[in-house]
Amino acid sequence: MTWLVPLPVVIPLLGAALTLMMARRPVVQRTVSLTALTATLAVASMLLWLTVTDGPQVVAVGGWPPPLGIVLIADKLAALMLVVSTAVTLCVLVYSIGQGAADGDQETPLSVYHPTYLALTAGVTNAFLSGDLFNLYVGFEILLVASYVLLTLGSTENRIRAGTTYVVVSLLSSVIFLSALGLVYAATGTLNMAQLAGRFDALPDNLRLLLQGMLLLAFGIKAAVFPLGAWLPDSYPTAPAPVTAVFAGLLTKVGVYAVIRTETLLFPDGRIGDVLLVVSLLTMVVGILGAVAQSDLKRLLSFTLISHIGYMLFGVALATEAGLSGAIFYIAHHITIQTTLFLAAGLVERRGGSTALDRLGGLGRLAPVLAVLFFIPALNLAGIPPFSGFLGKLGLLQAGVDASGPLAWAVVAGGVVTSLLTLYAIGRVWNLAFWRTPHPDMPVADSAGNRSGVGTPDTEGSAVLLPRMMLAPTFALVAFGIALTIVAGPLFELTSEAAGDLLERTPYIEAVFPGGAP
């Protein structure tokens, strides 16, 4: 069944080509995009099942055996990331189609949006499956090109400015990554990660530390860890709601995934674990303090996104099975919840006419369904029991306590404070946007259900109702977040197995080189 491995990359790329050819047939574009992502989700689910039952699945691209050719590898970690990320991208696609139908595709021009969105998906899946550092770089570059197009949809001044910042920072990260690849190849003669796992051990300590630092710097920029994430709050909120949602859910997590893969496979000695602990603590605390200071919902969520990357980095820094298991669980949780909250923020902007908290109010009464769609994932993000956010944080904090040491305890304390401040920030949003008396400029509803005032006007001048095709995928992601709580036990078992394989390294290496790496 190894022929399934490349399909999560091939299917979106074929879909991108077909949608580009059908630029003047929007119905066909929608159908192709939905079919491609549905098929990708089905394949990802099958790969997850195969990795659990039969171990890692490997395919040599073009029939060239490793290390001559590039290999794609689906292990438990990669397969889980594929399932969660594809489910999220499918829901966001449905949301964007609903928004396009309601707005006449002004925010997401169909001829550009669908092929670019599918190319973005292919870049994400390629990064997750890559068993070669250069192919991982290619995945990041596909992400960069596609995300720049999506970020600047509509070509407004704010989006062009934010997109320029984003692409400059991303190119800097890519240059650092490419420079590291050149040094790695010069030192070892290969970029195959399974082969590098053995050859890195023979390198001088100072050279290994240099290569590790360069890779972490490149991935840290992409993951938006402190102090490398200042670009994110200025870039994400300017994009259309579905674009912001998929960026927030996926792009930073690809950077975290790359950190997990390289740190466990190539640098298992954990020499800079203390540095990662400090960075994780600062990412948590500085990020959430930034969120507390915000008066705009999208910027607030962008800062919580940065802050909660610190939890994932904390698990990696511990370099224990419990820590890695908690980090993987939290990635799956955070992809789902952060995407859901940004979709809900798009609905808030549509219903209230703004995401500025001082211009909102009364949404709990005016739009009770929207209130529920925001309230549940907000509690989940804050880590309120019994949601998956609480379970993921509890697993990470327990791993930190078990690791002992003053630095680990400091990060545990920082994690608790961050969780409480997240609850405060979310509570403030609820109070200002949903609970208090409606702002005078807010659209209101009369007894017949027609709304007037500012907002998004229809042909008769009353505010447009929230489209069902935007509500339905948001509801689906809320349900998916609840499902993560229900299946938390089996999911933690899976993440523990994945963490064990990562630390052992042997299953990954032997899957690529059954007779041992040359």
Side-chain angles (χ1 to χ4, degrees), residues 4-274:
L4 290 171
V5 177
L7 291 185
V9 182
V10 173
I11 293 174
L13 285 178
L14 289 177
L18 286 174
T19 53
L20 190 59
M21 293 169 58
M22 299 296 174
R24 297 184 179 182
R25 299 184 178 180
V27 175
V28 176
Q29 277 196 323
R30 296 188 190 102
T31 303
V32 170
S33 297
L34 290 171
T35 303
L37 288 186
T38 302
T40 304
L41 178 58
V43 172
S45 301
M46 294 176 67
L47 284 175
L48 180 59
W49 174 259
L50 288 172
T51 58
V52 172
T53 57
D54 299 332
Q57 306 293 305
V58 181
V59 66
V61 177
W64 292 91
L68 296 179
I70 291 173
V71 293
L72 299 177
I73 308 171
D75 60 357
K76 294 183 180 70
L77 171 61
L80 177 61
M81 294 298 100
L82 283 177
V83 171
V84 177
S85 63
T86 309
V88 164
T89 52
L90 178 58
C91 289
V92 174
L93 177 65
V94 176
Y95 181 100
S96 64
I97 291 174
Q99 177 175 307
D103 296 341
D105 302 316
Q106 295 174 2
E107 290 290 302
T108 53
L110 287 175
S111 61
V112 176
Y113 179 77
H114 285 277
T116 309
Y117 190 85
L118 290 174
L120 179 78
T121 304
V124 171
T125 55
N126 183 66
F128 287 149
L129 291 170
S130 179
D132 182 278
L133 280 179
F134 185 77
N135 194 38
L136 178 61
Y137 169 80
V138 171
F140 276 122
E141 291 309 292
I142 295 173
L143 290 177
L144 170 61
V145 174
S147 57
Y148 178 69
V149 174
L150 292 174
L151 195 62
T152 55
L153 283 176
S155 300
T156 65
E157 181 180 351
N158 289 336
R159 290 177 185 175
I160 295 296
R161 184 185 299 112
T164 302
T165 301
Y166 173 80
V167 77
V168 168
V169 172
S170 297
L171 284 175
L172 174 62
S173 172
S174 297
V175 168
I176 296 172
F177 190 9
L178 191 60
S179 301
L181 293 186
L183 292 176
V184 168
Y185 190 80
T188 63
T190 184
L191 293 175
N192 181 284
M193 287 193 280
Q195 192 174 28
L196 284 172
R199 295 194 178 184
F200 264 35
D201 295 337
L203 295 179
D205 289 345
N206 290 339
L207 178 57
R208 291 182 69 235
L209 189 61
L210 172 65
L211 296 176
Q212 185 178 14
M214 292 184 69
L215 289 174
L216 279 176
L217 181 60
F219 299 148
I221 294 174
K222 297 182 185 298
V225 302
F226 180 85
L228 307 173
W231 56 270
L232 190 150
D234 292 328
S235 299
Y236 283 12
T238 62
V243 174
T244 303
V246 78
F247 279 19
L250 293 181
L251 298 195
T252 54
K253 310 310 184 301
V254 178
V256 176
Y257 169 86
V259 171
I260 293 176
R261 182 66 74 190
T262 54
E263 285 298 299
T264 56
L265 188 61
L266 307 183
F267 309 102
D269 53 12
R271 288 186 61 190
I272 61 175
D274 289 348

